[in-house]
Amino acid sequence: MNNLAYIALGTNMGDRYKNLVDAIHLLKEETGIFLVKSSSIYDTVPVGYTEQDDFLNMVIMVRTTLTPHDLLEVCLRIEKELGRKREIKWGPRIIDLDILLYNQENIEAENLIVPHPRMQERAFVLAPLLEIDSSIKLSNQKKSLKDYFNMNADKEGVRIWKQKNGEDVFALFEN
Ligand code: GSY
């Protein structure tokens, strides 16, 4: 289990909490994937195409024996298994599983770019990622991800989410 990867999860359709739990459960059942850490769950205002429901987002850190492409295959299979249909490009989704980082590798293949190309611009990715490792830095960037997060205008729309007695409760991410 020598490789360390970070995976971002996002959902804004159906039972969002169940979608996250189911996706993590299916990832943990895979041979060669071992869950090391998971962030809090965040309720986040949609970025890009804004005429859609709020998302739940989180990040997990896994150890894996899988290559980046095999890990991608697993993520795509689990998205499909949970009912994801790739219809509107930036539209609503049952579950999205994106590989953010794989060791310190830079991968530029047709179907996989790592580090994830837009991760520095997305507070809904940076907040949960920084919660797992606040000193994380991309190998090809001068600024730390914390610097990117602090510059990010979307961070107001990113709140830690929990349910208490069936009610949604929120808190801000502090770094
Ligand atoms: O890339 C993931 C899908 N996505 C999201 C998301 O997961 N969260 C938020 N807040 N906005 C988003 N816009 C897109 S597309």
Side-chain angles (χ1 to χ4, degrees):
M1 296 278 179
N2 284 329
N3 304 296
L4 200 59
Y6 290 85
I7 301 173
L9 295 88
T11 167
N12 72 340
M13 281 176 80
D15 184 338
R16 301 177 305 163
Y17 177 68
K18 183 173 182 301
N19 297 338
L20 294 177
V21 171
D22 288 351
I24 292 175
H25 174 75
L26 291 171
L27 281 165
K28 280 169 73 178
E29 276 194 340
E30 289 290 327
T31 308
I33 299 182
F34 177 75
L35 179 68
V36 183
K37 282 187 190 169
S38 34
S39 72
S40 303
I41 297 173
Y42 290 75
D43 187 276
T44 70
V45 169
V47 172
Y49 174 59
T50 53
E51 297 297 305
Q52 56 180 327
D53 292 337
D54 285 0
F55 282 79
L56 288 186
N57 288 105
M58 68 186 292
V59 169
I60 59 171
M61 177 170 115
V62 298
R63 285 215 168 271
T64 184
T65 55
L66 302 184
T67 64
H69 282 91
D70 288 343
L71 185 60
L72 174 67
E73 287 284 304
V74 168
C75 290
L76 295 175
R77 175 159 45 76
I78 292 175
E79 286 181 356
K80 228 176 179 178
E81 210 170 315
L82 293 179
R84 165 123 186 235
K85 294 188 181 67
R86 289 180 176 261
E87 281 160 358
I88 309 173
K89 187 156 188 221
W90 304 107
R93 56 207 62 204
I94 290 179
I95 194 74
D96 204 12
L97 298 175
D98 286 331
I99 302 174
L100 300 175
L101 300 167
Y102 185 95
N103 300 325
Q104 289 285 318
E105 289 186 26
N106 291 298
I107 303 163
E108 291 213 20
E110 200 187 324
N111 57 349
L112 180 64
I113 302 179
V114 175
H116 191 284
R118 289 170 297 278
M119 61 185 275
Q120 307 95 291
E121 299 154 24
R122 294 177 161 184
F124 67 81
V125 170
L126 294 178
L129 180 61
L130 287 167
E131 194 192 322
I132 293 179
D133 183 350
S134 62
S135 64
I136 203 156
K137 221 175 148 276
L138 303 185
S139 56
N140 55 355
Q141 305 270 343
K142 268 199 186 156
K143 286 197 197 86
S144 70
L145 290 182
K146 209 186 222 182
D147 294 333
Y148 280 105
F149 179 78
N150 288 327
M151 288 175 346
N152 195 300
D154 295 328
K155 60 180 184 289
E156 308 308 327
V158 171
R159 300 174 299 169
I160 295 174
W161 174 91
K162 274 190 199 146
Q163 283 214 317
K164 225 175 182 177
N165 305 323
E167 303 270 321
D168 290 353
V169 287
F170 302 99
L172 282 182
F173 169 70
E174 316 267 0
N175 71 88

